[in-house]
Amino acid sequence: SGYLETLVDHVEELPPKWRRAIHTMQTQSSRMEALITDLILLSKIETGEHTVDQVPTDVEVMLNQIRNDAKALSGEKGHQIDIQITDQRLLQGDSSQLRSAFSNLIFNAVKYTPAGGQITVIWTTNRDGAHLTVKDTGIGIDPVHIPRLTERFYRADPSRHQGTGGTGLGLAIVKHVLINHDGHLEIQSNLGEGSRFICHFPKERLVERPPESTAG
């Protein structure tokens, strides 16, 4: 990977016939790095090697940070990414794991929503607990695939994944993060009608915000 980066930096000095090959190798190298990173993270989460740190997490601050990254990922595609917060309480859990789960869902929405599409992230609560909803106006998923989407490497339609750079592990990571936080993932989607991914957390994981603390 390091050698490829050096070659790409000087690609104009290479014969034209090599330029495409170098760029292709770098793309595949980056994908393998991402795959290894996700496999290590998923392995730690599944085996319990990564102990869940029980600390109050400010979901609003975290979502705003992820939205900034999602806007960068969107780039010229110009997705509209809105965040709606209806409860200021904090979520007890591991902020690193929660960030991985939430960012996977939001980045997926960006990847599978056509340019100019709408992505809405909603954090709300009711008597059953707390719920994070990521809703998009994307390509949607045939409901027949939904029961298997959280399996490692499962592809609802491989042809749709070729240009996204995904590892096929994102939803598996989300599933196991939620299990570690006594929650579960709900998926609602139809082809051509967008998707809705909902993370459900039990009410016991909600904690009051300290009086001196305010949302960023």
Side-chain angles (χ1 to χ4, degrees), residues 65-86:
Q65 293 170 344
I66 295 173
R67 176 174 58 180
N68 291 336
D69 293 336
K71 285 183 176 179
L73 177 64
S74 173
E76 296 180 355
K77 293 182 178 179
H79 295 98
Q80 180 67 37
I81 306 173
D82 294 329
I83 295 179
Q84 301 173 10
I85 307 292
T86 65

Side-chain angles (χ1 to χ4, degrees), residues 7-22:
L7 288 171
V8 168
D9 287 342
H10 299 84
V11 71
E12 298 302 325
E13 301 173 18
L14 297 173
K17 66 178 182 179
W18 286 104
R19 294 175 189 174
R20 181 179 178 185
I22 293 297

Side-chain angles (χ1 to χ4, degrees), residues 36-190:
I36 292 168
T37 299
D38 278 359
L39 278 170
I40 291 172
L41 174 61
L42 182 57
S43 176
K44 288 180 177 179
I45 293 172
E46 283 181 332
T47 61
E49 179 182 336
H50 183 106
T51 305
V52 178
D53 295 325
Q54 301 295 340
V55 297
T57 298
D58 192 322
V59 174
E60 181 174 6
V61 169
M62 178 179 290
L63 291 178
N64 279 307
Q65 293 170 344
I66 295 173
R67 176 174 58 180
N68 291 336
D69 293 336
K71 285 183 176 179
L73 177 64
S74 173
E76 296 180 355
K77 293 182 178 179
H79 295 98
Q80 180 67 37
I81 306 173
D82 294 329
I83 295 179
Q84 301 173 10
I85 307 292
T86 65
D87 193 306
Q88 294 296 320
R89 283 178 290 179
L90 307 177
L91 180 65
Q92 191 82 2
D94 185 304
S95 60
S96 176
Q97 288 195 20
L98 291 171
R99 181 183 296 275
S100 293
F102 295 170
S103 60
N104 264 304
L105 293 179
I106 295 171
F107 294 167
N108 274 354
V110 171
K111 292 174 183 176
Y112 298 112
T113 299
Q118 174 76 36
I119 298 162
T120 307
V121 183
I122 305 167
W123 174 250
T124 188
T125 62
N126 57 22
R127 64 183 182 180
D128 296 322
H131 316 278
L132 178 87
T133 301
V134 179
K135 181 173 61 174
D136 64 57
T137 58
I139 59 179
I141 305 162
D142 188 326
V144 71
H145 296 293
I146 289 177
R148 299 190 61 191
L149 284 182
T150 56
E151 295 178 10
R152 293 185 181 199
F153 306 117
Y154 183 79
R155 300 294 199 188
D157 183 351
S159 66
R160 290 180 173 174
H161 293 259
Q162 292 175 356
T164 63
T167 62
L169 295 170
L171 291 180
I173 290 172
V174 173
K175 172 186 174 181
H176 286 282
V177 167
L178 293 181
I179 289 173
N180 284 349
H181 290 80
D182 311 306
H184 67 278
L185 178 65
E186 177 184 356
I187 305 172
Q188 303 170 357
S189 187
N190 283 293

